[in-house]
Amino acid sequence: MQQHYGFFMDTIEAPLGRREKRKQEIRQRIEDAAYQLFQQQGIEDTSIEEICVEADVARRTFYGHFTNKHALLGGLGITRLYSRSEPMLSELMANHTSTRARLQAMIDYIESSFAGMNDIDRQLVLVGPTAFAEDQERQREIGNSSMASFTQLINAGIELGDVKTEFTPLMLATTVVGTLNMLTISWCLDSSYPVFAKLEEARKLFDQLICKDNP
């Protein structure tokens, strides 16, 4: 908000912020309750009524956040995977001083996350994108967020002088995001898919494609 709108605009905007925060808290409570029940008794055997009881919300409150159970599954899928990329990359940028170290730590982080996932988690990840199949705006928002985060990592490397310049930052980010998405979906569709071996291949690929050779 621009400052010249003055005190009056500030006073009417603050309650909106509190309401939005409260809304997000309730949504998180519903997602947490659903995730716990899905892990305990499975997705198919968990009803919206049970989720409402566990989350301590009314059914009308549930439907104020999710149009149906499929939408809830999609929200959980996005939370379990896609919404993690931006905070993960911010942490890598803060804790590591070279692009090579950041990419290595990224693969370590993904492998650690995948090691803690089970069949329910993989089902949720698969449902995530399908829940927004008819919401192109939401699809673009999710995709643009991931691309922007990885592009920022590449641009930071260019400033450091340790990233190759044969390809544009956007193309390099597209390669990283596309590869990781492909490996993730392949593993979610088939639990026997050698995702950790493939991530190690991706580790070498990203290093050779993006990083300059050590001096």
Side-chain angles (χ1 to χ4, degrees):
M1 184 186 69
Q2 296 180 2
Q3 292 182 352
H4 68 263
Y5 282 123
F7 177 77
F8 176 71
M9 290 298 293
D10 287 341
T11 59
I12 65 172
E13 186 168 306
L16 291 175
R18 287 195 294 270
R19 283 198 295 270
E20 182 61 28
K21 181 179 179 181
R22 175 61 176 166
K23 182 179 179 181
Q24 291 176 355
E25 289 173 348
I26 294 174
R27 181 186 179 94
Q28 186 63 54
R29 201 162 79 220
I30 294 171
E31 288 192 356
D32 289 345
Y35 182 74
Q36 180 177 338
L37 289 171
F38 292 156
Q39 292 289 349
Q40 291 173 350
Q41 57 195 41
I43 294 175
E44 294 299 325
D45 293 329
T46 299
S47 67
I48 290 177
E49 182 63 33
E50 289 174 313
I51 294 169
C52 290
V53 171
E54 183 70 23
D56 192 24
V57 299
R59 287 181 69 92
R60 66 177 179 275
T61 301
F62 176 94
Y63 288 114
H65 291 271
F66 303 99
T67 55
N68 50 41
K69 185 176 173 181
H70 185 67
L72 169 61
L73 294 174
L76 277 170
I78 296 300
T79 299
R80 293 296 294 166
L81 184 64
Y82 298 99
S83 64
R84 295 181 177 184
S85 63
E86 188 170 342
M88 173 194 71
L89 288 169
S90 295
E91 182 178 336
L92 297 181
M93 298 282 285
N95 294 339
H96 301 277
T97 57
S98 72
T99 302
R100 175 170 279 110
R102 290 165 181 170
L103 290 171
Q104 294 293 322
M106 177 190 72
I107 296 297
D108 291 341
Y109 179 94
I110 294 171
E111 289 182 345
S112 177
S113 296
F114 282 7
M117 292 173 64
N118 56 29
D119 288 341
I120 295 295
D121 294 309
R122 289 195 292 271
Q123 289 180 53
L124 291 172
V125 169
L126 284 175
V127 170
T130 68
F132 300 107
E134 299 180 0
D135 189 346
Q136 295 184 355
E137 183 67 26
R138 180 61 171 149
Q139 285 181 330
R140 282 193 295 269
E141 178 184 335
I142 294 167
N144 289 343
S145 176
S146 295
M147 287 298 301
S149 297
F150 281 98
T151 302
Q152 180 185 1
L153 185 150
I154 301 300
N155 281 325
I158 291 175
E159 292 182 7
L160 290 172
D162 64 1
V163 167
K164 296 177 180 179
T165 56
E166 286 89 342
F167 304 101
T168 65
L170 181 59
M171 180 55 67
L172 292 174
T174 300
T175 301
V176 172
V177 173
T179 299
L180 294 177
N181 281 345
M182 183 273 292
L183 297 182
T184 300
I185 297 303
S186 296
W187 178 54
C188 288
L189 288 169
D190 179 5
S191 61
S192 67
Y193 181 79
V195 67
F196 296 103
K198 296 299 182 182
L199 282 168
E200 287 303 314
E201 287 189 51
R203 184 194 298 272
K204 296 177 183 178
L205 170 65
F206 298 158
D207 187 276
Q208 294 178 19
L209 181 66
I210 296 172
C211 300
K212 290 182 177 179
D213 293 336
N214 289 319

